[in-house]
Amino acid sequence: MTKVVIIGGGPGGYEAALVAAQLGADVTVVERDGVGGACVLTDCVPSKSLIATSTRTTYVREADALGINVPEIHDGKAEVEVDPARINPRIKALARAQSDDTRARLVKEGVEVMLGEARLVDPHIVAVGDLRIRADVILIATGAHPRELPSAKPDGERILTWRHLYDLDELPEKLIVVGSGVTGAEFASAYQSLGSDVTLVSSREHVMPTQDADAAEVLEDVFMRRGMTVLSQTRAESVVRTADGVRVTLTDGRTVDGSHCLMTVGMIPNTEGLGLEEAGVRLGQGGFVEVDRVSRTTVPGVYAAGDCTGVNMLASVAAMQGRIAMWHALGEAVAPLKLSTVASTVFTHPELAAVGASEDDVRSGRIDGRSVTLPLNTNPRAKMNEVKEGFVKLICRQHTGIVLGGVIVGPRASELILAVSVAVQQRLTVDDLAHTFAVYPSLSGSVTEAARSLMLASPE
C-alpha cells in the first residue's frame, strides 16, 4: 500500500487526502493548527462570514427604498447597531465547526490526522517531533501568512492583520486599510457596511488593479458614494500607535489618523524551517515552492499545493492542485492545472467574479475575440431588488463564438459566474448559452441575454 504524508491540512492538504484515501493509499495529514488550516480557521471562512454579516446590514439600511419602514431613518437609511461582541464569537465558532466537520470527514475516510509541526528529513521521511514517518509520496501544503512591514509591525490591538480582526471587542471607529488588492477591498467594503469610517490606501491609480478595469471602477465608485475615502497612488511608509489610535504616514508626506489600521500588503509562504531545500526541493523568488502543472516539485515523489506555491492564492486552486498531485502520484489519468479556467471572486458588496480571458486580452490583440457588456440595472430581477450597480460581461472568440471568459459585478456574482465557468471549461459557444433556458425573472438571465447579443453580433 502506498504511504502518503501530507504536511498541512488546508484545502490543498485535506482535498488531496480525500483523493488519496479514495484511491486506496495509507494517508497521514500533519497539521499544526487544526484541519482546514488558515483558510478555515483565520482567513477565508471567517472573512466571508464577516462579509455576509456586513451585507445584511446594508440590506437593512437600504430597506426603506423597498417600502419597508425601519425606525431611526436618517438620510434615507436605517440606523443599524452592530455588536462585535456577538459577531466575532459567532464567526470563530463557525470556523471551528467547519474545521471539526472537515476533520470528521477525513477520519471517516480512514485518514490519520496528526496535530504537530512536520519537516522533511529526506525526500522519503517526515519528522513530527521525535516521530519519523516513512512515505512513498509527500505533499507540501503549508499555506502562507500575512506579510508584515518593519515600519508597521502589527500588535493585534490597533495595528492589525486580518487574522487579528475577530479578537476585537469593538467596531473600529475609523479604520485605515493599507492595500487595495482583493483582501484590502473586501475588508474595506465589509467594515464600511458595518458602520466604520473607512480610509483605503491604494498604491495604484484605482483599487484592485489586477481585476477587470470596468469592474474595479464600478466598485470604487460604490465605495466612494457610500462614504469611503480612497487615497490613490500612495503607500504607507509607517504606522505607529498614538494615544488613542494610530497614525499612518504616507510616502507622499501626508498623515492619516484613525482608531485602527489593517495591513493587507501580501502573503509570505510558510516554507521556512521545513527542510525543503536541504531535501533538494527548489524554492523560487520569495520562498515559494516551485511546481509544475501536475504539482511536482524538483524532487521525485515530493509534491506541493496551495499558497506555499504562489501559483494562484485561491482555496479552489489549492484544492485542485492537491487533487492533481494525488491523481498523478497514484497513477490515475490527470489533466494538468489550467489557470485559464479558474474562476475568482472579490467578496465586496456588490461582488465581482471573473473567469477566463479578459477584455484587455481582446483589446491588446492577445486573443482574437469580441465582448459585450450588459448593465444589471435593466434586468427585471435587479430592479425588484433595487440593484443599480453592476453588469455582465461576456467574451467569446471572434469567428467561432466559443466562450473565452466573463466578468460579473452584482449580488451573488460568486454564484452566477458558474454558468460562464462551465462554458469556458467545456468550450461551449455563445449559441449554446443563448439557447439555454434561464429562469425569468433572474439575474442569470443577463448571462443568456449577453450570449444572445454576441450570437447576433456580426464579427468584423
Side-chain angles (χ1 to χ4, degrees):
M1 181 182 292
T2 303
K3 178 63 181 178
V4 174
V5 176
I6 298 171
I7 303 176
Y14 70 70
E15 288 289 347
L18 291 171
V19 168
Q22 182 185 45
L23 295 176
D26 177 6
V27 187
T28 297
V29 174
V30 184
E31 167 58 46
R32 66 182 181 182
D33 297 318
V35 174
C39 173
V40 169
L41 293 168
T42 61
D43 294 359
C44 189
V45 169
S47 67
K48 277 45 179 183
S49 301
L50 177 74
I51 290 165
T53 302
S54 71
T55 300
R56 293 287 185 89
T57 65
T58 300
Y59 289 149
V60 173
R61 286 194 176 97
E62 297 177 352
D64 185 63
L66 300 177
I68 300 172
N69 296 322
V70 181
E72 302 296 327
I73 295 290
H74 295 287
D75 297 326
K77 294 184 179 180
E79 290 297 316
V80 180
E81 183 178 342
V82 173
D83 186 0
R86 295 179 60 197
I87 293 172
N88 289 337
R90 174 186 175 271
I91 289 172
K92 290 193 285 187
L94 189 155
R96 286 193 299 270
Q98 184 63 30
S99 175
D100 291 343
D101 288 347
T102 306
R103 186 184 191 282
R105 171 76 188 284
L106 290 177
V107 171
K108 181 181 178 182
E109 297 297 328
V111 175
E112 179 185 19
V113 178
M114 295 181 61
L115 189 63
E117 296 201 25
R119 59 183 177 84
L120 267 64
V121 175
D122 67 36
H124 292 287
I125 298 179
V126 175
V128 184
D130 296 330
L131 180 66
R132 299 292 185 269
I133 308 172
R134 178 167 290 279
D136 302 300
V137 177
I138 296 171
L139 176 69
I140 310 299
T142 49
H145 61 275
R147 177 170 171 256
E148 298 179 2
L149 302 182
S151 59
K153 295 293 289 184
D155 59 16
E157 297 177 349
R158 296 287 180 173
I159 306 173
L160 313 164
T161 72
W162 56 90
R163 294 182 178 177
H164 298 128
L165 292 171
Y166 316 107
D167 293 322
L168 297 178
D169 56 8
E170 61 180 358
L171 184 70
E173 181 181 354
K174 297 186 67 175
L175 178 66
I176 304 167
V177 180
V178 175
S180 66
V182 171
T183 303
E186 287 184 345
F187 281 113
S189 175
Y191 276 98
Q192 181 185 46
S193 294
L194 289 172
S196 296
D197 179 358
V198 177
T199 297
L200 180 60
V201 178
S202 173
S203 63
R204 305 291 185 90
E205 184 177 356
H206 297 291
V207 302
M208 292 179 289
T210 63
Q211 304 298 314
D212 177 88
D214 294 334
E217 183 179 352
V218 168
L219 289 174
E220 186 168 337
D221 287 345
V222 170
F223 290 170
M224 297 176 71
R225 191 167 65 252
R226 290 176 179 168
M228 186 185 300
T229 300
V230 179
L231 304 178
S232 302
Q233 296 182 298
T234 188
R235 298 176 184 269
E237 187 172 86
S238 66
V239 183
V240 297
R241 291 280 296 264
T242 60
D244 57 355
V246 294
R247 174 164 294 164
V248 178
T249 301
L250 305 178
T251 51
D252 59 15
R254 288 179 292 175
T255 61
V256 185
D257 292 329
S259 61
H260 299 76
C261 179
L262 173 62
M263 303 296 296
T264 62
V265 290
M267 298 284 281
I268 302 295
N270 296 327
T271 53
E272 189 175 346
L274 295 178
L276 298 179
E277 290 182 296
E278 293 83 348
V281 176
R282 183 184 301 144
L283 302 183
Q285 186 175 6
F288 292 97
V289 182
E290 291 188 0
V291 293
D292 63 12
R293 290 173 61 204
V294 291
S295 304
R296 290 178 296 189
T297 70
T298 51
V299 175
V302 180
Y303 294 75
D307 288 359
C308 67
T309 70
V311 170
N312 191 333
M313 290 190 174
L314 296 172
S316 58
V317 173
M320 186 59 74
Q321 283 182 294
R323 296 186 201 107
I324 287 172
M326 293 302 103
W327 286 325
H328 185 273
L330 298 174
E332 293 293 302
V334 60
L337 182 68
K338 191 175 181 181
L339 292 177
S340 62
T341 63
V342 174
S344 62
T345 297
V346 185
F347 288 89
T348 46
H349 183 66
E351 294 179 352
L352 185 170
V355 65
S358 68
E359 190 167 33
D360 187 56
D361 291 328
V362 176
R363 290 173 177 169
S364 66
R366 286 191 292 271
I367 63 170
D368 184 21
R370 49 197 170 93
S371 67
V372 68
T373 302
L374 297 183
L376 276 186
N377 60 15
T378 62
N379 177 291
R381 187 68 180 273
K383 291 176 181 176
M384 295 170 192
N385 287 280
E386 280 290 304
V387 173
K388 294 182 172 64
E389 303 96 2
F391 60 79
V392 171
K393 179 183 293 187
L394 203 59
I395 300 161
C396 74
R397 198 166 290 283
Q398 179 80 307
H399 298 289
T400 63
I402 292 173
V403 179
L404 299 175
V407 181
I408 300 176
V409 177
R412 301 288 184 180
S414 54
E415 309 290 348
L416 294 171
I417 200 66
L418 179 63
V420 186
S421 295
V422 171
V424 171
Q425 175 72 36
Q426 300 300 320
R427 297 182 58 80
L428 303 181
T429 66
V430 290
D431 293 54
D432 294 325
L433 274 182
H435 288 98
T436 301
F437 279 96
V439 170
Y440 182 88
S442 69
L443 295 179
S444 60
S446 287
V447 176
T448 54
E449 184 181 351
R452 286 193 294 275
S453 296
L454 285 173
M455 179 180 70
L456 297 173
S458 298
E460 296 179 358

